[in-house]
Amino acid sequence: MRKLNLTLGTLLLTQVSLAQEMTLSDILNLEVTTASKTAVPSSEAPATMSVITRNDIELYERRTINEALYSLPGMVPSQDYDRRSISTRGIFEGWNNNHYLILIDGIPHNDNIYGSAYTWDNTPLIFLNQMEVIRGTGSALYGSYAMNGVIGIKSIEAKDFANKTTTKFRLGNRNTTTFDMISAIDGDGVDTVVSFSQSETDGVDFESYDGFANQKRKVQDARSSSYFFSKFTADNGLEFQVHRQDWSFQTGHGWFFIIPEQEEAMKESRSIASLKYNTSSDGIDYEFVGRFQRHEVDWNMNYWPAASTGLDPDSFYASGMWEYLNSHADDLFLRAQFTGDLGNGSSWLLGLEETVFLYSGDQEHYSNLDDINDPNTGNTPSGETKDLGAWLEYIEDQPLYNSAIFAQYVSEKLADMITVTAGVRFDQLSFKYRDLAVSRDTMKNKSFEKVSPRLAIVMTPSENAVVKLMAGSAFRTPSPSELAGYNTWTLASNIEQLSSETVDSAELSFEYQFKKSKFILNLHQTDFKDQIAYASPDAAQPNLSTNIWSAKTQGVELAYHLYGMNHGMFFTASHNIRVDETTDDPGTTAAPDDITWVPASSATLGGHYSFAKVSLASQVNYLGETKRKPSDVPNDLRSESVDASTTIDFKASYNITKSGKLVLSGKNILDEEVFLAKGGNNPFDYQQEKMRYLAGLDFTF
């Protein structure tokens, strides 16, 4: 057994154990399944595909999915309220972060209320074995939310972990601590993998202006999380998983852009259980999946300070404004999938899916407002609390049914060099809801339907070259929170008028593998229509979730990877241009010629070197200038655009024993000031963390 350090088509660097009989081509083309649900080498996958391995994560000390994805071309950091999200190919991603689909071992794991893909620090990477990332549309196979990409996480297999237990502990500045543990048993008949992660931090440590714009105050960013994962895999093809996820957070600048004068109690949790069965008969592979999810919310929200604080002494809300919510929602996902082998590498696939979402009211929901649906009424007369109606009253006790059928054909290799993948999927979301403008007992029907096609042509003109032509359509139906919020200031829904978001894309990709390096070039065009956002006060439906933005974008993405026996480097870059942009909101102004709210350009340069017992890795991250929309009125508190930034990350480790090592890592080690744009007419942008260091120990036994 020998070690080989090299960069993959992952757009990251990896260190892998390589058996003598494995070739470089094997390493550079790890098998992937997310792009077509069939195993193919990553370079020949019918999508713009990146593979991030467990060793990638450890080499550069990636703590979150975000940190891993930010190194890929076209994917850049963004923030909305308290959440760190991922903007892709010049399109800003908001708080919901729901234009990506997360799969864990092929099963959807997006949140059921907001549709969010949890890519920040409430989802650890300790149980990850491989992450397959599609940049581009994925609805032809996976339906709603797979608009900007699919993040397919494959968990560790017990047989690959060899009855071991690994623990990782980190301690850092701003009261940051993390603990990860994973253990696997390669059993007789049933394999078991169990992991647990816990983290907490004070978050950013700076003061900022808020909606009052009269003084700076400390941003509330403390957060913590824990995650329990278990997987039981039987020899007969049955697999059972349990996920328990708990996290707490602060709302940063506040959900009304008023920094809370005291810490809030914002808690959420998810419980997920899934059962999967795989079998084969007469040349057909069968897969049956069932997954249950419960998402619990326990929020104590502080929207507006009391007059006694002095922050707003003439406030209409003399007692301040707050809301408490304790609620949950459930969903059940079912899938039956069939795959047939047609010979010579050709195959067909057919699948059926059904998802049922159910919200049955709240455990507690109250406020100090006299009528939360009419803010002009002010506080309750004597400052007492008042029970509120159901948080999602439009759909209380009314199930939402999403039914889907999808099919795919993969050709044999035509002329010994061309493979065609064609797929199509039909989705229908249907439900009944209350017409609350008339009465609670008045019911209406609503449905959303969408057909999502895709076509990919993969050509291998030589052993070292791959050319891909890809086109497809994707969509996202409005989430339950966008559709059904009522009796609350956390949501502003628009159930009568909301329609699905859609995107059409076309891509041309070229990959070439040299003896010790690999080059990737990708050209893309995306036509994003009817993006949902909160409407301005000047809109026909003010302050409600509304289809507002449409934008056409073109871009180029490139990556170069160099590998060596004990060293390696990578470089990735992207640039996007806006072809057109329109808005249906009279209170906002489109920017048809500019990428706005996110950088148009970004680049990453990384490298590593190992010697004796020491491993060193570093990465330089560049974000270009971020422009604002014309309706983002400049003010004295922030510049007309957000300056470009460059940060450096670093990791060093030392093997103290065969089973233990010391680890020191730092993010933004030069302590640079970095800001991400806040859209709209606001007096602040989101300042990012300055230098973050972590030190700790890893042990495997």
Side-chain angles (χ1 to χ4, degrees):
M1 189 72 71
R2 55 192 174 92
K3 296 282 186 179
L4 177 63
N5 294 329
L6 69 162
T7 53
L8 292 178
T10 67
L11 312 179
L12 293 169
L13 210 55
T14 185
Q15 184 180 56
V16 296
S17 295
L18 176 61
Q20 293 286 349
E21 68 272 18
M22 291 186 71
T23 67
L24 175 60
S25 179
D26 294 329
I27 298 300
L28 292 175
N29 293 292
L30 293 170
E31 281 196 343
V32 297
T33 58
T34 304
S36 62
K37 298 198 175 189
T38 55
V40 295
S42 59
S43 64
E44 297 182 23
T48 303
M49 168 67 71
S50 303
V51 182
I52 301 171
T53 70
R54 181 176 184 83
N55 288 313
D56 294 324
I57 301 301
E58 294 183 354
L59 185 62
Y60 285 95
E61 192 75 356
R62 313 293 189 201
R63 296 296 309 170
T64 66
I65 297 173
N66 279 348
E67 288 183 4
L69 299 186
Y70 292 159
S71 293
L72 304 183
M75 306 181 86
V76 298
S78 57
Q79 183 171 342
D80 197 21
Y81 300 89
D82 51 283
R83 284 190 177 178
R84 284 77 172 170
S85 56
I86 312 164
S87 290
T88 304
R89 295 178 169 177
I91 299 294
F92 173 77
E93 184 67 25
W95 186 88
N96 288 336
N97 202 49
N98 56 11
H99 295 92
Y100 310 88
L101 181 68
I102 282 190
L103 306 171
I104 297 183
D105 293 322
I107 300 174
H109 269 250
N110 283 43
D111 152 53
N112 59 4
I113 297 176
Y114 290 93
S116 302
Y118 291 141
T119 59
W120 46 94
D121 47 9
N122 64 348
T123 302
L125 300 178
I126 186 63
F127 59 84
L128 177 145
N129 186 56
Q130 180 169 297
M131 185 191 305
E132 301 173 3
V133 182
I134 296 174
R135 301 194 313 279
T137 58
S139 290
L141 274 181
Y142 298 108
S144 186
Y145 302 120
M147 294 189 72
N148 290 345
V150 179
I151 304 164
I153 294 174
K154 293 184 176 179
S155 63
I156 280 179
E157 299 290 340
K159 60 182 176 61
D160 297 327
F161 212 59
N163 296 321
K164 295 185 295 187
T165 297
T166 293
T167 61
K168 298 173 179 285
F169 175 75
R170 301 288 186 271
L171 180 65
N173 55 338
R174 292 191 288 279
N175 294 319
T176 302
T177 60
T178 69
F179 173 78
D180 299 287
M181 181 278 294
I182 186 166
S183 184
I185 300 174
D186 187 1
D188 184 12
V190 178
D191 295 340
T192 303
V193 178
V194 176
S195 76
F196 178 76
S197 298
Q198 189 168 23
S199 69
E200 62 179 78
T201 180
D202 287 346
V204 298
D205 184 20
F206 61 85
E207 294 184 337
S208 174
Y209 290 106
D210 60 10
F212 286 139
N214 54 8
Q215 62 176 319
K216 286 187 174 182
R217 293 186 292 132
K218 186 180 184 305
V219 174
Q220 302 285 357
D221 191 42
R223 54 193 188 273
S224 64
S225 65
S226 65
Y227 199 115
F228 171 79
F229 164 79
S230 62
K231 179 173 70 170
F232 307 92
T233 306
D235 292 344
N236 63 1
L238 195 64
E239 181 177 285
F240 178 64
Q241 291 191 15
V242 174
H243 301 250
R244 172 67 187 190
Q245 188 175 20
D246 295 87
W247 67 100
S248 63
F249 61 97
Q250 304 294 303
T251 60
H253 285 80
W255 281 358
F256 273 33
F257 305 130
I258 305 297
I259 296 174
E261 73 273 16
Q262 60 187 15
E263 288 191 0
E264 299 167 289
M266 307 289 289
K267 301 176 182 178
E268 295 187 51
S269 64
R270 289 202 302 167
S271 299
I272 298 175
S274 64
L275 186 65
K276 179 167 62 175
Y277 179 65
N278 288 284
T279 188
S280 299
S281 177
D282 298 327
I284 299 178
D285 296 331
Y286 299 86
E287 180 188 78
F288 303 98
V289 174
R291 188 224 65 211
F292 172 80
Q293 174 181 189
R294 169 162 289 187
H295 182 183
E296 298 172 286
V297 172
D298 188 348
W299 291 344
N300 193 345
M301 296 148 285
N302 186 353
Y303 298 131
W304 204 275
S308 59
T309 65
L311 294 172
D312 186 16
D314 300 321
S315 172
F316 179 66
Y317 305 102
S319 302
M321 182 169 57
W322 55 265
E323 179 182 350
Y324 176 74
L325 173 67
N326 187 332
S327 189
H328 74 267
D330 301 324
D331 78 292
L332 178 66
F333 169 82
L334 301 171
R335 180 172 68 214
Q337 183 176 293
F338 316 95
T339 306
D341 185 355
L342 298 174
N344 299 319
S346 179
S347 66
W348 60 267
L349 180 146
L350 178 67
L352 302 170
E353 289 183 356
E354 182 74 23
T355 304
V356 182
F357 172 88
L358 181 62
Y359 161 80
S360 299
D362 312 316
Q363 287 68 58
E364 294 181 277
H365 191 197
Y366 52 84
S367 174
N368 68 338
L369 298 181
D370 195 42
D371 183 355
I372 202 163
N373 292 313
D374 183 2
N376 294 319
T377 59
N379 295 126
T380 52
S382 302
E384 72 275 10
T385 62
K386 186 170 184 177
D387 289 335
L388 304 176
W391 184 45
L392 305 178
E393 188 174 1
Y394 284 108
I395 58 171
E396 184 180 9
D397 294 322
Q398 300 298 318
L400 278 64
Y401 299 96
N402 192 92
S403 304
I405 181 171
F406 56 94
Q408 176 184 267
Y409 169 75
V410 179
S411 76
E412 60 183 287
K413 189 163 281 191
L414 307 174
D416 293 326
M417 63 175 288
I418 300 174
T419 302
V420 178
T421 301
V424 65
R425 175 172 169 136
F426 172 75
D427 282 83
Q428 181 185 64
L429 175 67
S430 59
F431 57 95
K432 293 182 178 180
Y433 71 95
R434 294 179 174 83
D435 187 354
L436 296 175
V438 179
S439 75
R440 179 178 167 82
D441 297 326
T442 302
M443 305 300 296
K444 286 186 175 181
N445 295 311
K446 194 173 185 68
S447 65
F448 300 88
E449 293 87 19
K450 186 68 174 66
V451 175
S452 304
R454 75 135 168 192
L455 178 67
I457 301 172
V458 179
M459 296 175 285
T460 52
S462 72
E463 183 180 355
N464 297 328
V466 179
V467 179
K468 302 179 185 181
L469 296 170
M470 298 160 287
S473 296
F475 76 102
R476 186 181 73 82
T477 54
S479 65
S481 62
E482 291 167 325
L483 286 168
Y486 202 70
N487 303 311
T488 181
W489 278 22
T490 64
L491 304 171
S493 299
N494 188 4
I495 197 167
E496 293 282 352
Q497 297 185 0
L498 276 179
S499 61
S500 295
E501 300 174 331
T502 63
V503 63
D504 297 316
S505 70
E507 300 188 50
L508 169 62
S509 179
F510 173 75
E511 300 183 20
Y512 193 87
Q513 179 183 317
F514 300 91
K515 185 177 180 181
K516 292 186 177 182
S517 61
K518 185 174 184 177
F519 174 78
I520 304 170
L521 174 68
N522 188 59
L523 306 175
H524 64 85
Q525 175 174 290
T526 58
D527 191 1
F528 203 118
K529 296 179 181 178
D530 298 321
Q531 186 173 12
I532 296 172
Y534 283 121
S536 73
D538 298 325
Q541 298 287 332
N543 303 316
L544 298 183
S545 292
T546 306
N547 299 95
I548 294 178
W549 301 103
S550 295
K552 181 178 288 188
T553 308
Q554 295 175 346
V556 57
E557 301 165 345
L558 62 88
Y560 177 75
H561 314 279
L562 177 69
Y563 66 91
M565 290 297 294
N566 64 342
H567 63 277
M569 61 84 65
F570 72 92
F571 173 74
T572 67
S574 65
H575 180 71
N576 298 289
I577 60 173
R578 182 76 77 228
V579 177
D580 192 22
E581 182 179 69
T582 59
T583 177
D584 293 327
D585 186 341
T588 61
T589 306
D593 301 317
D594 292 315
I595 300 290
T596 57
W597 294 357
V598 296
S601 301
S602 63
T604 305
L605 173 66
H608 80 96
Y609 182 72
S610 299
F611 61 95
K613 298 180 179 181
V614 177
S615 178
L616 304 174
S618 185
Q619 180 174 304
V620 181
N621 313 288
Y622 170 77
L623 296 176
E625 178 190 18
T626 301
K627 296 184 178 181
R628 306 189 195 278
K629 296 186 187 298
S631 50
D632 299 346
V633 181
N635 54 62
D636 295 335
L637 302 179
R638 64 179 190 176
S639 58
E640 292 187 3
S641 63
V642 178
D643 292 339
S645 64
T646 302
T647 59
I648 299 176
D649 303 333
F650 177 79
K651 181 192 175 182
S653 65
Y654 177 77
N655 295 327
I656 53 178
T657 68
K658 289 184 178 180
S659 59
K661 63 182 176 181
L662 293 169
V663 178
L664 175 65
S665 66
K667 303 291 184 184
N668 190 13
I669 61 174
L670 298 184
D671 215 26
E672 298 292 328
E673 283 195 346
V674 179
F675 289 87
L676 301 179
K678 172 60 185 173
N681 183 20
N682 292 287
F684 63 89
D685 291 308
Y686 294 112
Q687 184 173 348
Q688 300 304 287
E689 290 191 31
K690 301 192 78 174
M691 183 178 65
R692 160 84 69 194
Y693 63 81
L694 290 169
L697 294 168
D698 294 354
F699 282 102
T700 299
F701 52 90

